[in-house]
Amino acid sequence: MDIDAARTIADTVLGAGPVLRPYRAAGHRDPSRWRCGVLMPADRAADDESLSAVAQTECLVEAAGHVRVRVLLRFLQVRRRTVYRWLPEQGRFKAVGSLDVDGTAIASWDEPVEHEMCFEVDDVTLRGAGARHTVRVPGGFDRTELHDSRGALVGQMVRQRRPLCAMLNVSAQPVPAPRPALRLRVWVENRTRAGADGDEVALTTALVASHLILSVEGGAFVSMVDPPGWATEAAESCANVGLWPVLAGPPGRHDTLLATPRILADHPGDLPDSAVDELLRLRDLAG
């Protein structure tokens, strides 16, 4: 199985937006930099048709016997970093956009925190009621004092992230086809509550750059980009929402599948630097 290869291409394609996008001090909290694969909290998505809390991928698995499926759910969490200046005359800290410490600018910023959860589903569960998993990410708070070269207190940096809750569902059903095959469905929903906070705060309860890496034992994934003739009709009946599945790993391998919010070709491999630069350029033009 080529899990590592799938991770590499996912990190390259999805990381080009939220992680590598250049910093711009004029808009240090730019929501558009987190636009790719965003699953917003369910309560916020219910109030805005342009937002979604749910993503789903469906694909075909050719399998004559027992199969076991491994699902990796991967996403970024937005961690808020706020910089404060120490005001000695007032005995308090004041939030600032940027603080100069010995010639180095330390900015308030939104940082990505990577998460990866792995779930395995056996054949009996898969073909029966399916498997449901609750995904929980605890919140966090960290405070770091900032001192200059003389040791004097000049400020502090606070990092804070909110708890997240999501639901993952994995199921499969036989499909009518000349060969024995299953329609595998993986569905994920962000069930975090954003509350009454504004869009900028609600983003800290989102699942960003959400994607899936699937692997199978005892079966083989069927290409959804160019399905063989016997599977064409079944492939067309698959419903993908916010995720597009492609075969991962080297050509000829059919045991690993990558489902991302970006449309890729089968067996995408490692993207060259020029492709990453192009993704960045298109991203900046779009946002």
Side-chain angles (χ1 to χ4, degrees):
M1 297 181 187
D2 267 308
I3 299 296
D4 289 340
R7 283 193 183 100
T8 298
I9 189 62
D11 291 344
T12 302
V13 173
L14 300 178
V19 179
L20 301 180
R21 186 170 181 172
Y23 166 73
R24 293 187 301 202
H28 64 276
R29 280 180 178 155
D30 177 11
S32 68
R33 74 188 283 262
W34 304 104
R35 189 175 297 164
C36 181
V38 176
L39 300 184
M40 290 296 285
D43 59 342
R44 182 54 58 90
D47 295 333
D48 187 339
E49 293 183 354
S50 67
L51 304 177
S52 177
V54 177
Q56 172 182 289
T57 191
E58 286 188 345
C59 59
L60 300 180
V61 179
E62 185 177 358
H66 294 285
V67 297
R68 175 180 291 271
V69 173
R70 184 184 184 192
V71 178
L72 268 65
L73 169 63
R74 306 178 79 230
F75 59 90
L76 301 177
Q77 179 184 20
V78 178
R79 177 173 62 191
R80 188 131 293 175
R81 185 179 81 187
T82 306
V83 176
Y84 295 82
R85 184 189 306 278
W86 173 243
L87 304 176
E89 67 281 0
Q90 300 180 25
R92 67 181 182 89
F93 290 97
K94 177 184 178 181
V96 293
S98 180
L99 178 65
D100 184 277
V101 181
D102 293 330
T104 300
I106 301 178
S108 294
W109 187 236
D110 287 343
E111 304 170 324
V113 179
E114 298 180 9
H115 294 288
E116 178 178 297
M117 285 80 172
C118 180
F119 308 93
E120 292 194 5
V121 186
D122 60 31
D123 190 81
V124 174
T125 303
L126 194 64
R127 297 175 188 261
R132 294 176 68 87
H133 300 277
T134 300
V135 178
R136 297 191 184 277
V137 176
F141 181 88
D142 176 74
R143 179 187 289 111
T144 303
E145 290 188 347
L146 302 174
H147 298 82
D148 62 18
S149 58
R150 298 172 300 172
L153 178 66
V154 294
Q156 68 177 5
M157 181 168 56
V158 174
R159 287 185 170 94
Q160 188 170 10
R161 56 190 176 96
R162 301 176 65 178
L164 303 178
C165 178
M167 183 65 68
L168 179 78
N169 185 73
V170 186
S171 61
Q173 292 183 339
V175 294
R179 298 185 184 181
L182 298 172
R183 179 185 296 108
L184 177 66
R185 174 185 297 166
V186 183
W187 167 86
V188 59
E189 179 182 10
N190 184 356
R191 294 194 172 181
T192 313
R193 291 192 59 81
D197 295 322
D199 289 343
E200 186 177 320
V201 176
L203 190 62
T204 63
T205 55
L207 278 59
V208 179
S210 307
H211 60 287
L212 300 166
I213 299 175
L214 312 180
S215 62
V216 62
E217 296 178 10
F221 289 113
V222 175
S223 171
M224 302 299 290
V225 177
D226 185 21
W230 66 266
T232 300
E233 185 175 347
E236 291 176 349
S237 70
C238 291
N240 288 280
V241 180
L243 294 171
W244 179 254
V246 298
L247 298 175
R253 295 283 293 272
H254 290 260
D255 56 5
T256 307
L257 185 139
L258 172 64
T260 79
R262 295 187 183 277
I263 297 177
L264 303 173
D266 281 334
H267 311 291
D270 296 340
L271 291 183
D273 291 342
S274 59
V276 176
D277 292 340
E278 179 67 9
L279 285 171
L280 285 169
R281 188 182 71 82
L282 293 174
R283 185 73 170 192
D284 286 333
L285 289 174

